[in-house]
Structures are given as structure tokens and as C-alpha cells.
Amino acid sequence: MKTLKESKVAIVGLGLMGGSLAGALRGKCRAVVGIARRKETVEQAISDGLIDLGTTDMEPAVGSADIVVLATPVRAIIELVNDLGPLLQDDALLIDLGSTKSDITHAMADLPPHVQPLGAHPMCGKELSGISAADPGLYEGRTFILVPLPRTSLQAIDAGRDLARAIGALPLILDDPHRHDFLVATLSHLPYLLACSLVAAADATTSQDEAAWEIVAGGYRDTSRVAASDVDMMVDIIMTNRQEILEALAEYSSHLDQLTQLIRTADERGLRMKLSYAREKRMEMFP
Amino acid sequence: MKTLKESKVAIVGLGLMGGSLAGALRGKCRAVVGIARRKETVEQAISDGLIDLGTTDMEPAVGSADIVVLATPVRAIIELVNDLGPLLQDDALLIDLGSTKSDITHAMADLPPHVQPLGAHPMCGKELSGISAADPGLYEGRTFILVPLPRTSLQAIDAGRDLARAIGALPLILDDPHRHDFLVATLSHLPYLLACSLVAAADATTSQDEAAWEIVAGGYRDTSRVAASDVDMMVDIIMTNRQEILEALAEYSSHLDQLTQLIRTADERGLRMKLSYAREKRMEMFP
């Protein structure tokens, strides 16, 4: 397997994640080739200096790459994994950046044996999406989860680590895709669903009062931020992680119901205990 | 009524809000007198340069002040309002910084007629509390809600506006305390309860996995931030705004239940509609 410096890297999907990755990798490998469906996206990636070469024609571009990175929504990644295998070079590394890993690595298991598959999930993002939001510094200092399959070679895992380090990220191997999906259901997908429900509640009750948006403070702004996430991306994430998300929602709802009941019955002692516990845990989590 | 420049301002409670206010007002009035229960707090406020004078002896300090600001948790404010009236100077302005306003302004209505009452609620805060977190820049650019009573004079309202502007805040008159409490139930107290429930859920399911805190991304961090708020302050807020909070919780839960049901039934179209609506509203709220 070639070193990153010698590799031609093809990135499929030039949105926030793919465009940022392209910009971060440029100059650190032989060439960064950007592939997008729309010609305008490719043109913008070139004029923003994010890629060396760009095209809307996937087959030749991925067929000549040493590393292919899939940076589309999760279900488009699964389709690409199913389609691209035969086109790829011998010993090509196929990485994806999808936010759920069970369905993707399941599809990767069926790739032809000449391809090296490696799941990945960089723990970063913005509520903005698209090539205009791309930022080569996006991965800096962030955890970059790598989910190898049993068939993935040690060289391929090392190449994934090198790629993560080249963009300033911190690689973390998690070899169980179900464990990954269970953790992100609570730590990432659940906060998104809460934020959307909070915005919907505020929209229904307070937004018609013109004072509401003058008095809104940091608590609401922070708690609702991720509700502005890209919907195509989030629908794919949710639809490929339903069981884990439903479990996380059930656990969460049981705590919210307890708080509601304590407030309803004016059980001040119980309320204080539960809120103190949450405060203590939050402070342990982010000291 | 004296101008702010000529006024002696007594601040009761030198936590985050009171300590920050003291520091922001110092030099803009005749003297800032800080009053706290603990001698150590007074000493720290003096050594941090937040107050001109400090004491643990409330009565003489509030009795000689032109403006008295109550910056304690809500139910302590209510007790102080009930107790301090007879001690105050003729035409003294009594302001509070409590986060709920119905119960406080209800207590203020019974103040002796020589006192001018004015409710206030500055829309700022931090998850840190106490004098050590005090920051004279805390109010800069923030909305400072003023809730006058029917008995409050126009001069007293103007004095409240001057005080808000002196610390860099933007005064906003809201003359209905119930409207205030209804709005903050959704925009401030609800986000807090969601954050606490999210932390409790994460603690119950994922925190025993050592990978959890390496992969946690901005979504969880932002959505859970306010769970670290001061519990004494929050219990008082909740206990004095129970009905509005229960209404906000019911509205919120109906949206979360809808999302849960859409996920359970894999209703992708319905899910996409609801998430798109939330995204659009979030982007309208914070363009």
C-alpha cells in the first residue's frame, strides 16, 4: 500500500465533510480529486482551492485512485459501496465518513477481496452544510473514529491513521460498529432530536410574541443549535440507526418524565437531588 | 430620584449576577456596596475590585442606599422583599434580578408606598456560579428585561433603564410578569430540564464505556451545557414557575413523541417534514 504522500485521493461528495477533508489533504498527497454530482460544486471546490482536480464523472476518477473517501449521506454511501467495488484498483483503500457504521460496514463486508474497506466517523461538524461551509481546519484536534472490518489489513488501518493525523485529527480505533452506533445514538442523535423538539415547542407557543426573540438567552441558543443540521444527512443517520435511537429516546424520556413528575408534585427534595446529580455528572464529563 | 451617578447602590447577594453587576457599576455611581452572608465572599469582592464597600450586615447598608438590587435566588428575593421595605429610604428604588417575575412582583406590590419597586431579569448567565465567576462584562450587549408594577413611577422605570444602559445592557420593558414567565418557561427553563435529562440518559447508558468521552462531539456538549447551572438558583426558578414549565414540558413532549413515533414506524416522509420544519425555524430564529 502506498504512503499518503504518494497516493491519489478521490473524495466522493463535496459537502461540508468532503470539501473540508479535500482542503485539509491538499498538498499532503499526490493529488486530491473531488467528485460531485453538480458541476457548480466542482467548480466552486476548484475556485476555493480545495481540490487539485474535479469531475462529475465518478467511474474514471475512483478507478485511478489509491484512496477513495465516500463523504455523502449514509444511504448514498451504502449504494456506492455496493456499486464501486469492481471499479477500484487493486489494494485500493475505501474509507467512508458516515455517521452510523453498522449498515455501512455490513455492506463493506461484501466488497471484492482486492479492496481494503475501512469505516470512519470524524467527530466534528457544523450546523452549516455544503461546499460553502467547507473549512480545512474542521478536523483539527477532533477524534476521528476508525472502524476496521475483520478483513481489513493492518496496513490499511495504518493508512487510515495516517490520513487522520495528516488533517490534524486524533485517530481512535473502535472495532465494533454496533458499539459505535449505540454510543452515537445517545451522544449525537439524541441531542439532535431534543433540539428539533425544543424548536418545535418554541415555535408553537412563544414565537408569535415579538418579545420572545429579544429575551432568548444562551441556554436556548446552545440547546437548539443542532436543530439546524442538514436534514438529508440526519434522515439517513436516523433511518440506519433506528433501534439504538429508540432505546436512547426511551432512556431519556424516563428521566424527563421523572423530572416532570417531581415538578408536578412540587417534590422539592427529589427535584434537587436529580438536578444536583445531573450537574455533577455534566461537570465530570467536561471538567 | 437621584441620577445613577449620584446614587449609592447596595447589591444583596454577591454571586455570579450580583458580583458581575457590582463590578460593572463601579465608578458609574457614588458607591457600590456589596452585601453577602459570608465574610469570605465580601473579602473576595473587595480584593477582586468589584465593590467599593462590603458588609455582612444588611440593615444599615440597604437603609442608606438610593438603589437596592436583590441578586439572590428567587425565593430569597421574595423573603427580602417582604422584610426590607420598612428599612429603605424614602423613594429608594428596589430592583431584583430574579429569573421568574410573577411571585416576586406579587410580593413587591405589598411594599410600603415610599419604596419604588421594579422587577428585572437580565438575559445572561454562565454555567459557573459564585463570586469567582463574576465578570463585569457579563451584561454587555444582553437584553435586560424590566418589569414595572402598576405603582412604579416613570422616574423609577427611567432609573432602571439608566442602570441597564450603564452596564452595557439593552433595557426591554415587559409590563406583564405572567407573559415574562410564560416565555422564559419555554426559552430558558425547558432547555435546562432537557439538558439535565440528556446528561442523566448519557450517564445511565454510555458513560461506562471509556470510548464515550473521546467521541463526544459538539452536539452533546452544547445541548447539555446548561445542566451545569447552579442548582439552588434553578430549584427556586422551577418552584416559582411550575405551571408554565409544566405547560412547556407538555408541548415539548408532544413533539418528541411525534418524532419517536415517526422513527418507530420508519415514516421517512413524515420524519423529513418535521425535521425540515425545525431546521427552517431554527434558522429563522438565529439567521
Side-chain angles (χ1 to χ4, degrees):
Chain A
M1 195 162 267
K2 289 182 188 164
T3 65
L4 182 62
K5 190 78 200 158
E6 299 161 345
S7 296
K8 182 166 161 186
V9 181
I11 299 176
V12 183
L14 296 173
L16 171 67
M17 302 303 286
S20 299
L21 179 69
L25 279 178
R26 219 184 150 197
K28 291 168 184 150
C29 47
R30 185 151 57 86
V32 175
V33 184
I35 301 152
R37 251 187 325 212
R38 292 173 59 245
K39 193 162 61 80
E40 295 73 21
T41 308
V42 173
E43 286 166 0
Q44 188 176 344
I46 289 173
S47 74
D48 289 352
L50 297 170
I51 56 177
D52 296 303
L53 300 157
T55 178
T56 57
D57 190 6
M58 177 140 37
E59 299 202 3
V62 301
S64 64
D66 304 292
I67 301 176
V68 175
V69 182
L70 306 180
T72 64
V74 172
R75 288 182 299 183
I77 290 173
I78 293 170
E79 279 181 40
L80 288 166
V81 168
N82 291 336
D83 294 347
L84 291 186
L87 306 174
L88 299 186
Q89 285 189 11
D90 201 34
D91 221 25
L93 177 64
L94 181 64
I95 303 183
D96 81 283
L97 304 185
S99 296
T100 61
K101 296 268 69 86
S102 298
D103 289 3
I104 291 173
T105 52
H106 188 262
M108 281 178 163
D110 293 332
L111 281 164
H114 74 279
V115 176
Q116 285 294 331
L118 182 59
H121 181 199
M123 300 312 294
C124 53
K126 287 190 201 177
E127 66 272 37
L128 299 169
S129 54
I131 184 81
S132 314
D135 166 12
L138 186 69
Y139 299 92
E140 202 85 47
R142 299 312 189 93
T143 300
F144 196 101
I145 301 174
L146 295 171
V147 184
L149 280 68
R151 56 175 275 183
T152 309
S153 70
L154 289 176
Q155 289 95 318
I157 299 174
D158 280 341
R161 271 206 201 91
D162 288 346
L163 183 144
R165 290 198 185 109
I167 59 174
L170 312 168
L172 175 73
I173 309 285
L174 259 192
D175 53 16
D176 178 353
H178 300 287
R179 177 178 165 207
H180 168 275
D181 287 0
F182 176 76
L183 291 174
V184 292
T186 296
L187 297 174
S188 176
H189 312 159
L190 184 58
Y192 170 69
L193 295 168
L194 312 193
C196 290
S197 304
L198 176 61
V199 169
D203 177 61
T205 60
T206 57
S207 69
Q208 64 272 39
D209 187 325
E210 81 278 6
W213 308 114
E214 293 194 66
I215 73 172
V216 72
Y220 178 85
R221 190 167 46 241
D222 285 0
T223 309
S224 67
R225 184 180 63 81
V226 288
S229 299
D230 183 66
V231 173
D232 289 331
M233 179 184 78
M234 292 309 307
V235 167
D236 269 30
I237 288 173
I238 293 168
M239 295 300 286
T240 56
N241 206 24
R242 287 171 54 231
Q243 289 318 313
E244 286 76 5
I245 292 173
L246 288 169
E247 276 178 50
L249 278 165
E251 179 69 32
Y252 166 80
S253 294
S254 77
H255 295 283
L256 189 68
D257 289 349
Q258 283 171 46
L259 281 175
T260 304
Q261 188 57 17
L262 293 167
I263 296 170
R264 185 172 291 127
T265 58
D267 180 346
E268 183 169 340
R269 194 169 154 273
L271 188 62
R272 186 177 296 274
M273 273 178 59
K274 191 134 182 83
L275 300 179
S276 298
Y277 188 80
R279 176 169 198 264
E280 193 184 302
K281 290 295 162 187
R282 178 60 170 69
M283 293 176 84
E284 276 174 35
M285 289 167 186
F286 302 97
Chain B
M1 196 163 266
K2 289 182 189 165
T3 64
L4 183 62
K5 191 77 201 159
E6 299 162 345
S7 295
K8 182 167 161 185
V9 181
I11 299 176
V12 183
L14 295 173
L16 170 67
M17 302 302 286
S20 299
L21 179 69
L25 278 177
R26 221 184 148 197
K28 290 167 185 151
C29 49
R30 184 151 59 85
V32 175
V33 185
I35 301 151
R37 251 186 326 209
R38 294 173 57 246
K39 193 163 60 79
E40 294 73 21
T41 308
V42 173
E43 286 166 358
Q44 187 176 346
I46 289 174
S47 75
D48 290 351
L50 297 170
I51 55 177
D52 296 304
L53 301 157
T55 178
T56 56
D57 190 6
M58 176 139 35
E59 300 203 2
V62 300
S64 64
D66 305 292
I67 300 176
V68 175
V69 182
L70 306 180
T72 65
V74 172
R75 288 182 298 182
I77 290 173
I78 293 170
E79 279 181 39
L80 288 165
V81 167
N82 291 335
D83 294 345
L84 292 185
L87 306 174
L88 299 185
Q89 284 189 11
D90 202 33
D91 222 23
L93 177 62
L94 181 65
I95 303 184
D96 82 284
L97 304 184
S99 297
T100 60
K101 296 267 68 87
S102 298
D103 288 4
I104 291 172
T105 53
H106 188 260
M108 281 177 163
D110 292 332
L111 281 164
H114 74 278
V115 176
Q116 286 294 331
L118 182 58
H121 181 200
M123 299 311 293
C124 52
K126 287 191 204 177
E127 67 272 36
L128 298 168
S129 54
I131 184 81
S132 314
D135 165 12
L138 186 69
Y139 299 92
E140 203 85 46
R142 300 311 189 95
T143 300
F144 197 101
I145 301 175
L146 295 172
V147 184
L149 280 68
R151 56 175 275 185
T152 309
S153 71
L154 290 176
Q155 291 95 316
I157 298 174
D158 280 341
R161 272 206 201 91
D162 288 346
L163 183 144
R165 290 197 185 110
I167 59 174
L170 311 168
L172 174 74
I173 309 284
L174 259 192
D175 54 15
D176 178 352
H178 300 287
R179 177 179 165 206
H180 169 275
D181 288 0
F182 176 78
L183 291 174
V184 292
T186 295
L187 297 174
S188 176
H189 312 158
L190 184 57
Y192 170 69
L193 295 167
L194 312 193
C196 289
S197 304
L198 176 61
V199 169
D203 177 60
T205 60
T206 57
S207 69
Q208 63 271 39
D209 187 326
E210 81 278 6
W213 308 113
E214 293 194 65
I215 74 173
V216 72
Y220 179 86
R221 191 168 47 241
D222 285 359
T223 309
S224 67
R225 184 180 63 82
V226 288
S229 300
D230 184 67
V231 172
D232 288 331
M233 179 184 78
M234 290 310 306
V235 167
D236 269 30
I237 287 173
I238 292 168
M239 295 300 287
T240 57
N241 207 23
R242 284 172 54 233
Q243 288 318 311
E244 285 76 5
I245 291 173
L246 288 169
E247 277 177 50
L249 279 165
E251 180 69 32
Y252 166 81
S253 293
S254 77
H255 295 284
L256 189 67
D257 290 349
Q258 283 170 46
L259 280 175
T260 304
Q261 188 56 18
L262 293 168
I263 296 170
R264 185 172 291 128
T265 58
D267 180 346
E268 184 169 340
R269 191 167 157 275
L271 188 62
R272 187 177 296 275
M273 274 180 58
K274 191 136 182 83
L275 300 179
S276 298
Y277 188 79
R279 176 168 197 263
E280 192 184 302
K281 289 295 161 188
R282 178 60 170 68
M283 292 175 84
E284 275 175 36
M285 289 166 186
F286 301 97

